[in-house]
Structure formats: C-alpha cells, structure tokens
Amino acid sequence: MYLLELGGEDDAFARREAATAATGVERLGVGLATADAVVAERVRGLAYTRRASELVGTGDASVASARALLDAAPLAREGSVAVRARDVRGATGVSTSDAERELGGVLVDRGFDVDLDDPDNVLRVAFAPDDEAPRASDSRAGDARDAVDEAGDGDTGAERAPGDAARGDGGVCAVGWETAASVRDFGDRKPTDRPFFQPGSMDPLLARAIANLAGARPGATVLDPMCGTGGVLVEAGLVGADVLGVDAQSKMARGARENLAAFLDGDRAPADTADRPNPGDWATMRGDATRLALRDDAVSGVVFDAPYGRQSKIETHALDDLVAGALRESRRVADRCVLVADRDWRDAARDAGWTVDAAFQRRVHASLDRYVLVLDDDDGVDARAV
C-alpha cells in the first residue's frame, strides 16, 4: 500500500487526478490518501499529488505513534536515510522537528547513516486532521462547491489497514518510504511568460490536472477542440501524449502553435529524463469544434475549456449550441472527455450520450467558479451528485 501526499485544498479533485497514476485511491485524512499501487512515472507528472511513498503504517497524530510504527516495521533497506516530517496545512500542531529527531534516532539505532543532503532513502512522516475545519473567511467552506464526488472515490474515509496503530479523534499520522515525487516546475510556464498570451488563460497546475484526467500519457493522443492558447495541450505533451489543437479563430490556432513549439520542441522543451518522458508530437489547425475533420475514435481523450458567459456567441454558434455540438463530436472521436466551464453542463453531456464519471466545482474568485466534468462513453449508469 502507498501513501499519497496531496496538494491544493480540494482533496476530492486531487484524489481523482491521483487515480490516473494509482489504483485503489482512498481518503486517509486531510491532504492525505492511500493507494493499492502506483505507477511512479505517472506520479511524477501529477499536479495535485506531491509524493507517493511505500506505506509503513498509520496511527494517531502524535510523534509517539509515528515512532511506534517505525519501531515495529522491518527495515530491509540499504544506504543512507533522512526523515522528512510534515504537518499538513499546519493543522495538527505536531512538532515536525521533534518527529524528525525522534524517528531519525530510531534509524541510527538500527544501523543507518543519516544524510540530510542526498540520502538514498527518505522516510516521510505526515500528520493531518481527520476532517477539514471550515475556514472563517469562507462562509461556503465545506459545502458542495468544493467537489461533487460522482466517482465514489472515498469521501467517507478509508478503513485502516490490518496491523495499523489505532487512530485517535485528533487526526492521523502516516509513515512511508518515498517512492516518487511530482516534478514541480509549473512556475516555468506561467501564462504571461508564454510566447503567445491571452487574458483568462488557465494556470499550468490546473491545466496539468485536466490533461491527466483526459488520459494524457505516452502513447495517448489528446485533442482540444477549443484550444485557445494551447495551455492544456502543453501540459498533456509534457507528460508524453501526442496532442492536437483546434480553434475556430486563426489567431488562436497560430498562437497555440507558437506555445506548443516553444514548450514541446523548442529551447524550453525538457530532455527525456528519469523524471519525465520525451514531449509528445503536436499539431494545430483552424476548425469547428462541432464538425471536426477527424475520423471516429481518432483520439484517446478530449479536453476543452468552454467559452465563459451565458450570452456568448462564437462565430456562427450560440454558446449552448457550441457546447452541445462539441460534446457530441467529442464522443464521436473519443471515449473520454473533460469539460471545463463556468457553468454546470451535465445535462448537455448526458444528452450527448456521455456518462458523468465525476463533477467538481472549484472557486476561482468571488464572481467565478469553474466546473470540471469528467465524462466517459460507456453503458454504465450515471452517478449522481451527493
């Protein structure tokens, strides 16, 4: 079993993205989850999972409990070690320095050398509350805007693994050996730093998560039929997917081409390393999202950020017609779609034949929420909001 340390404040959304790189993802505590298995290469490309660790065990949120877990664990490892402790969101008040000192002492007593700069093995210790406390600054904290979980991904909490220490009401601690960490280079691709920029561009952290939810990975092909500046496609390409951008405006198709060239095969494109695969191939074109010049089942997944504003009119399409048509075409060319918008398009997605796998409502600022729909083309029964 593995420990997942999540990022951001929307744990349900983070767990859903983590499920693209892991199996059996379940909630453990605030900012923490467990998984039955992980694919290390994919963990490195996640946006809202920072690390995956081979789980030693879980207990209550105290240094004594963490020490008891380590004392009881077999340590079949070689090389130097370091202990890294974390109080998730500073919510438990546990002293991370005390935890590192205490568990480091256990490892030294058992014959390990400590190397804080470049250790061969890193022992992760995370302390977290069981439940998120409502924030006084947000009167809606904790309500359905944070996430409408339609995937059944464990919002009610995870069962303790056999042999784990008992968990107290004050929170949970988890101890594990780090297996993989995500590559945190999103600040290198801020929208304003790209060759082509337009206001309203999605930040690269969310764009990476959306790309992952659409199935981006080596060997996959991801289509964005309303690609805009190409930000989501850049992130899909950086995890190894081949990407195709379509936009109704020639200006946007050309601008997306500039950005894709810069980040996927230009000076900014990263070389193949142990942290990530080579960027995928890419192409852009001008076209109509409701009449795509693609054969049936041409791509692995579709992702698009629908125009915002209920009164929007784009080229010859009213907004409702544009989104409905794009959803139908997306289902023709792929069996997975992720739709981002400023309103809930679930009814239109179902009318187009999609099954709603998950739906999330994410606050952007006081006057804007983003809705994220994860859609599958299968014969299952639609999950409903809880």
Side-chain angles (χ1 to χ4, degrees):
M1 185 172 284
Y2 291 83
L3 167 69
L4 305 179
E5 296 181 53
L6 308 177
E9 294 189 350
D10 188 341
D11 286 354
F13 185 71
R15 290 195 301 272
R16 188 64 185 80
E17 187 206 8
T20 68
T23 60
V25 177
E26 297 283 351
R27 184 186 188 277
L28 179 61
V30 173
L32 300 177
T34 59
D36 295 335
V38 301
V39 180
E41 293 79 7
R42 292 182 194 162
V43 170
R44 296 183 184 108
L46 293 176
Y48 291 103
T49 296
R50 291 181 174 271
R51 298 173 190 87
S53 302
E54 186 178 338
L55 187 65
V56 171
T58 64
D60 61 23
S62 68
V63 174
S65 178
R67 171 164 187 152
L69 290 167
L70 187 59
D71 278 334
L75 298 178
R77 290 178 176 268
E78 297 180 354
S80 59
V81 297
V83 180
R84 306 279 190 254
R86 177 182 171 214
D87 180 9
V88 177
R89 299 174 194 167
T92 68
V94 175
S95 170
T96 56
S97 59
D98 286 352
E100 290 174 355
R101 187 181 312 111
E102 188 82 8
L103 273 64
V106 172
L107 293 173
V108 169
D109 289 344
R110 295 177 71 171
F112 287 92
D113 293 326
V114 174
D115 182 347
L116 299 181
D117 296 323
D118 188 23
D120 297 309
N121 304 279
V122 176
L123 185 73
R124 302 285 312 175
V125 187
F127 302 94
D130 281 332
D131 297 303
E132 183 79 76
R135 290 165 288 182
S137 61
D138 187 349
S139 62
R140 297 194 301 162
D143 70 12
R145 75 162 177 89
D146 288 325
V148 180
D149 172 29
E150 295 193 331
D153 66 351
D155 270 356
T156 58
E159 296 290 338
R160 283 189 290 114
D164 281 353
R167 186 182 308 157
D169 292 336
V172 57
C173 82
V175 179
W177 293 101
E178 185 173 308
T179 301
S182 64
V183 179
R184 314 305 295 176
D185 62 352
F186 301 102
D188 297 340
R189 296 183 299 282
K190 291 183 291 187
T192 52
D193 292 340
R194 297 170 189 161
F196 178 71
F197 167 72
Q198 291 285 287
S201 298
M202 188 182 298
D203 71 86
L205 194 70
L206 179 58
R208 173 65 62 83
I210 299 302
N212 285 330
L213 291 173
R217 64 187 60 174
T221 301
V222 174
L223 163 72
D224 186 341
M226 303 179 193
C227 68
T229 64
V232 175
L233 296 179
V234 167
E235 298 304 318
L238 288 174
V239 295
D242 296 333
V243 298
L244 173 61
V246 177
D247 201 278
Q249 298 182 49
S250 298
K251 171 187 174 182
M252 302 306 283
R254 287 194 301 268
R257 186 178 305 128
E258 288 184 56
N259 289 338
L260 290 166
F263 290 102
L264 299 186
D265 60 14
D267 292 339
R268 306 189 196 193
D272 187 14
T273 68
D275 288 335
R276 71 165 107 223
N278 273 325
D281 293 331
W282 60 270
T284 67
M285 67 178 72
R286 184 174 182 271
D288 185 342
T290 69
R291 295 191 298 273
L292 295 169
L294 298 172
R295 59 177 173 77
D296 294 356
D297 303 315
V299 299
S300 310
V302 177
V303 56
F304 64 97
D305 191 2
Y308 292 3
R310 294 173 185 269
Q311 304 305 315
S312 295
K313 185 169 176 128
I314 301 89
E315 295 291 323
T316 59
H317 301 295
L319 180 60
D320 285 5
D321 295 334
L322 174 67
V323 174
L327 285 166
R328 287 192 298 270
E329 276 292 86
S330 297
R331 185 167 176 259
R332 182 180 67 80
V333 301
D335 59 10
R336 167 149 291 240
C337 177
V338 179
L339 167 59
V340 183
D342 67 340
R343 58 183 279 195
D344 190 341
W345 290 98
R346 268 178 281 188
D347 288 343
R350 290 173 179 131
D351 289 345
W354 290 104
T355 295
V356 179
D357 183 20
F360 301 91
Q361 188 175 346
R362 297 171 55 81
R363 169 69 67 89
V364 177
H365 50 67
S367 61
L368 176 62
D369 284 1
R370 270 197 179 106
Y371 293 79
V372 179
L373 301 184
V374 183
L375 309 173
D376 277 324
D377 180 14
D378 59 40
D379 295 327
V381 177
D382 271 0
R384 300 292 173 176
V386 291

